[in-house]
Amino acid sequence: AQRVTQPEKLLSVFKGAPVELKCNYSYSGSPELFWYVQYSRQRLQLLLRHISRESIKGFTADLNKGETSFHLKKPFAQEEDSAMYYCALRRTGNQFYFGTGTSLTVIP
Amino acid sequence: DTGVSQNPRHKITKRGQNVTFRCDPISEHNRLYWYRQTLGQGPEFLTYFQNEAQLEKSRLLSDRFSAERPKGSFSTLEIQRTEQGDSAMYLCASSLTGANTEAFFGQGTRLTVV
């Protein structure tokens, strides 16, 4: 069965500090992994996907198949990064499975 | 706004009543998903369609829930004989088929059963 675990419900960091949001998954096949973000009063939107290997808004995420992790990182947090972050896994061509989310607060 | 549209945005209903929600996906998207989200949880999968075909239903989708996408465009989610436990945010998303395609979400319909 597919499962996504985000161990931290709440995470607070100071502006300018590095931030890492953890995501671990369980899936026997080759997963598609995504990070979605929800800013206050906005809809859920894609932040980045592992296949793209790109940096979006300064965030990166590396798929580590050995550790079954897909942690989201940013070297210098900004106040506008405060939001709810969801890690999601998809079996190719099927539905998305979401973690329970991490609420990030960046303290000025 | 050419994104995914959901109506109504909010619905308050009495226990035992039936409710229906509508989702209009992005026009060229052939995949449509329904999710439910309760406080402190991530979106939980309910069901999804490819065009008009309902391909998978979660065990969360009891017999009181039914979803349709009659012409492969908009979709409706109906809950019959609502219970207080049905109170949640119901999210709709759409995507293209294919690997690594992202899902675009609507703003959701918040259901409160009193």
Side-chain angles (χ1 to χ4, degrees):
Chain A
Q2 300 77 213
R3 182 172 292 178
V4 178
T5 303
Q6 294 181 250
E8 304 136 330
K9 274 202 164 306
L10 302 170
L11 184 64
S12 295
V13 299
F14 285 100
K15 178 182 172 181
V19 61
E20 181 179 48
L21 290 83
K22 291 184 168 52
C23 172
N24 289 89
Y25 68 90
S26 62
Y27 177 54
S28 56
S30 293
E32 298 176 10
L33 285 154
F34 304 78
W35 276 99
Y36 276 80
V37 61
Q38 189 167 27
Y39 301 103
S40 180
R41 298 189 187 89
Q42 294 188 26
R43 65 185 69 193
L44 204 55
Q45 58 187 283
L46 179 71
L47 179 62
L48 53 80
R49 70 196 91 189
H50 90 270
I51 197 70
S52 302
R53 303 183 65 83
E54 56 194 344
S55 173
I56 303 293
K57 298 184 179 181
F59 285 97
T60 58
D62 289 320
L63 176 59
N64 185 323
K65 290 187 177 180
E67 295 182 359
T68 60
S69 69
F70 188 55
H71 302 328
L72 183 68
K73 300 177 184 179
K74 184 170 183 176
F76 308 103
Q78 302 299 313
E79 288 179 63
E80 56 266 29
D81 296 329
S82 295
M84 197 75 186
Y85 291 81
Y86 295 95
C87 182
L89 174 151
R90 188 171 76 171
R91 296 179 297 155
T92 299
N94 290 283
Q95 70 274 33
F96 294 78
Y97 293 91
F98 287 85
T100 52
T102 298
S103 176
L104 174 66
T105 301
V106 180
I107 304 164
Chain B
D1 186 358
T2 56
V4 178
S5 176
Q6 291 187 247
N7 288 288
R9 292 289 306 280
H10 304 273
K11 178 71 177 178
I12 300 173
T13 191
K14 291 184 179 179
R15 191 173 51 187
Q17 297 294 305
N18 299 344
V19 294
T20 300
F21 309 140
R22 178 180 169 123
C23 172
D24 288 272
I26 293 172
S27 58
E28 62 267 28
H29 287 182
N30 48 9
R31 284 279 173 95
L32 187 148
Y33 310 82
W34 284 100
Y35 285 84
R36 182 174 69 186
Q37 188 173 24
T38 53
L39 200 61
Q41 299 297 317
E44 297 173 296
F45 170 73
L46 293 178
T47 188
Y48 83 98
F49 293 83
Q50 177 151 327
N51 300 315
E52 65 274 13
Q54 189 172 18
L55 295 188
E56 191 167 344
K57 293 194 295 185
S58 163
R59 284 171 289 180
L60 291 175
L61 214 64
S62 76
D63 291 345
R64 296 184 297 106
F65 287 69
S66 62
E68 293 182 342
R69 194 183 183 197
K71 296 181 180 178
S73 56
F74 74 92
S75 176
T76 57
L77 177 68
E78 181 183 17
I79 309 174
Q80 295 182 325
R81 305 182 302 283
T82 52
E83 302 172 356
Q84 285 189 320
D86 297 331
S87 295
M89 178 73 86
Y90 289 83
L91 297 171
C92 177
S94 70
S95 75
L96 297 167
T97 42
N100 295 293
T101 52
E102 72 177 277
F104 291 80
F105 280 82
Q107 292 189 296
T109 295
R110 181 168 293 285
L111 173 66
T112 303
V113 182
V114 296

